Amino acid sequence: MIRINNIHLYYRQHGIALHALRGVSLDINPGDYIALVGPSGSGKSSLIAAVTGLIFPSEGDIFIDRFRINRISRNARAKIRAKYCGIIFQFSEMPGRFTIRENLYLSWLSAHRGKDLSEFEERLELVCAKLDIHPLLEIRPGNLSGGQLQKTAIARAIIKDAPIILADEPSGDLDPDNVKRVRNVLQEEIENGKSILMVTHDAKLASDAHTIYELRDGQIHNVLK
Amino acid sequence: MRDLIKIGLSRSRAVFILLGALYLAVYLQVSVLFFLILTSKIQMLVISGYTIGTLGLLGGITGAHFLVAGKYSYEMGNLETIGFPRWFYITTYLIQFVLVQLISCLVGLLCFQILYIFITSDNVSFSQLAIVHLKTILTVLPLQVISCAAGLWYQSRSEPFLLIKERI
Ligand SMILES: Nc1ncnc2c1ncn2[C@@H]1O[C@H](COP(=O)(O)OP(=O)(O)OP(=O)(O)O)[C@@H](O)[C@H]1O
Ligand SMILES: [Mg+2]
């Protein structure tokens, strides 16, 4: 499903280049549940951004399905993301002008253009029940607590029913009950044949994964499981 | 696209009211000056006043567009991360801006009619006035669309991940 082949990524700021990823290779097949761990600044978020085509690696290749996303246009990358990727960011991000329902709708719409609204309502019902976010739907993201926002961000990623889920610290701001919910949700996604690439510092969450990679200084340092 | 426009229009009233007011100011200014041209004896003076005033207001509106574009860059990056290409976002917002401008323009035209009818008893016909307004719109509208599109495009140069991170 995803093939990452020896990628290098640089951040350039004021003429100084920071070598954030130094030759990472990784394969993710359908049904794979992969966790990435590693110290702060080791390049985990950068890897997720590169895989989804949100940022451009200067060397190496990334394939999603049969598309080499570092060779296609920016618009085409957006389309691939719409179709294949549900992304949970480390810092939950949502346009504040739209309510949570609208935000979820936009995410769903990106993958299901032209489909009936009732299909969205159905899916929304399901996702809300799983994550217990029903009361938040008419609220704007700016008025949510960190944990509530995190949960809606997870909902936004899974509502589109995409084959790949990329999660950057999905349990970041959550209490133990909600962490359990999130673990169940991710487990269910795996059972439905999705693949997950997850960054986490939570040992329990990481232990759910089939494989754990440790990233250090932009390189895969170790395979822990 | 229809959905984005619908959601966008319903959620950004403040911005649209501001832009609408600006456009209205332009059309009123243009109307009043044009009225003076129609009635004045020193036409050269009025025409140069008309030109300068209109250019100034256009600059103001262009600036406002860039501000609006700046406000939207984060949103654009965010929607791009979930799979809406940039052109999609930019097109929907251009359509919204054009709608707002057309509404303001119609209000401006109406105001001018009222002004004109109350102040003079001249025999300038409605269609004559409408043509002048139409000319103004046809000059201003493409300029606005271009400036707005350029502003949005300029704001979205970075990769979407960086656009979003900027905000943190
Ligand atoms: N926008 C940016 N501009 C410049 N450098 C950046 C940018 N984003 C990240 N970096 C640098 O890239 C390196 C990797 O950052 P990244 O965010 O991928 O780390 P991380 O593994 O996700 O860390 P954490 O566990 O704290 O989230 C860091 O040294 C960071 O300083
Ligand atoms: Mg990170």
Side-chain angles (χ1 to χ4, degrees):
Chain A
M1 192 97 237
I2 298 183
R3 223 171 76 219
I4 306 166
N5 196 357
N6 196 26
I7 56 167
H8 288 261
L9 183 104
Y10 296 86
Y11 286 108
R12 286 189 181 78
Q13 245 176 8
H14 312 298
I16 304 165
L18 191 143
H19 202 164
L21 292 175
R22 305 158 185 253
V24 176
S25 300
L26 195 67
D27 274 358
I28 306 170
N29 297 312
D32 275 1
Y33 192 171
I34 294 178
L36 270 178
V37 298
S40 298
S42 52
K44 305 180 298 293
S45 301
S46 307
L47 181 61
I48 293 223
V51 168
T52 46
L54 292 170
I55 198 165
F56 225 64
S58 46
E59 265 176 64
D61 283 322
I62 299 167
F63 290 89
I64 292 188
D65 208 355
R66 65 203 145 78
F67 304 99
R68 194 194 313 204
I69 60 159
N70 56 321
R71 286 292 162 82
I72 56 182
S73 72
R74 188 165 166 174
N75 288 342
R77 280 186 278 151
K79 274 191 203 144
I80 302 276
R81 264 197 307 280
K83 192 167 165 215
Y84 289 95
C85 305
I87 311 173
I88 303 160
F89 289 100
Q90 182 168 14
F91 305 97
S92 307
E93 296 296 338
M94 278 189 205
R97 270 188 318 128
F98 307 136
T99 62
I100 297 300
R101 180 194 293 277
E102 285 163 345
N103 267 299
L104 295 178
Y105 177 60
L106 285 171
S107 171
W108 180 86
L109 186 70
S110 70
H112 304 272
R113 297 265 177 85
K115 286 208 185 144
D116 206 62
L117 194 66
S118 63
E119 284 181 51
F120 165 70
E121 299 289 349
E122 236 169 68
R123 181 82 187 144
L124 182 68
E125 208 53 52
L126 194 76
V127 170
C128 284
K130 277 186 193 170
L131 285 163
D132 189 27
I133 52 168
H134 242 299
L136 312 179
L137 287 180
E138 305 308 329
I139 303 176
R140 310 258 192 105
N143 301 335
L144 294 182
S145 76
Q148 289 172 328
L149 191 59
Q150 184 70 17
K151 277 205 287 183
T152 54
I154 295 168
R156 186 173 79 156
I158 63 172
I159 198 165
K160 63 203 278 193
D161 211 9
I164 305 165
I165 292 167
L166 298 121
D168 199 343
E169 304 250 16
S171 64
D173 293 322
L174 298 180
D175 61 71
D177 268 359
N178 279 315
V179 173
K180 210 182 237 169
R181 258 195 207 106
V182 171
R183 282 177 72 184
N184 289 339
V185 165
L186 292 179
Q187 206 66 54
E188 270 170 42
E189 294 295 310
I190 286 293
E191 279 155 21
N192 294 338
K194 312 281 169 62
S195 0
I196 299 181
L197 175 60
M198 170 180 70
V199 171
T200 186
H201 291 300
D202 183 324
K204 269 193 192 149
L205 202 54
S207 72
D208 287 346
H210 305 151
T211 322
I212 304 175
Y213 290 99
E214 190 189 4
L215 210 64
R216 256 173 212 278
D217 296 329
Q219 283 174 323
I220 291 184
H221 184 71
N222 221 339
V223 186
L224 298 177
K225 185 175 168 185
Chain B
M1 184 106 107
R2 210 187 58 222
D3 297 281
L4 262 189
I5 293 176
K6 219 164 65 189
I7 295 176
L9 275 177
S10 70
R11 287 282 167 233
S12 45
R13 288 192 199 102
V15 170
F16 283 122
I17 289 170
L18 171 78
L19 277 178
L22 270 167
Y23 289 133
L24 194 56
V26 170
Y27 291 119
L28 282 180
Q29 161 113 354
V30 169
S31 307
V32 171
L33 284 166
F34 183 68
F35 171 78
L36 289 177
I37 292 177
L38 284 182
T39 52
S40 167
K41 293 198 176 71
I42 353 167
Q43 292 217 343
M44 267 322 284
L45 201 69
V46 183
I47 286 173
S48 47
Y50 169 98
T51 314
I52 291 167
T54 310
L55 283 179
L57 278 166
L58 276 180
I61 287 192
T62 308
H65 266 307
F66 266 82
L67 280 180
V68 172
K71 183 176 172 300
Y72 285 151
S73 70
Y74 160 82
E75 211 167 81
M76 195 165 20
N78 212 307
L79 287 183
E80 201 180 342
T81 63
I82 62 172
F84 292 100
R86 276 185 299 178
W87 64 263
F88 188 87
Y89 185 89
I90 291 174
T91 319
T92 58
Y93 279 86
L94 287 182
I95 291 171
Q96 293 176 17
F97 287 139
V98 169
L99 278 177
V100 169
Q101 191 171 5
L102 284 179
I103 292 167
S104 317
C105 165
L106 284 179
V107 176
L109 179 57
L110 256 168
C111 290
F112 181 51
Q113 293 307 305
I114 293 164
L115 189 82
Y116 201 84
I117 289 162
F118 271 107
I119 294 176
T120 75
S121 49
D122 253 14
N123 53 358
V124 181
S125 72
F126 181 85
S127 60
Q128 244 179 313
L129 294 177
I131 283 169
V132 174
H133 276 271
L134 208 64
K135 274 186 190 160
T136 321
I137 296 161
L138 290 180
T139 334
V140 174
L141 202 62
L143 279 174
Q144 292 314 306
V145 169
I146 290 168
S147 81
C148 184
L152 284 165
W153 199 261
Y154 180 79
Q155 291 287 347
S156 71
R157 284 158 310 157
S158 327
E159 294 290 327
F161 183 62
L162 300 177
L163 269 180
I164 290 182
K165 275 190 92 173
E166 242 172 50
R167 183 60 178 261
I168 298 168

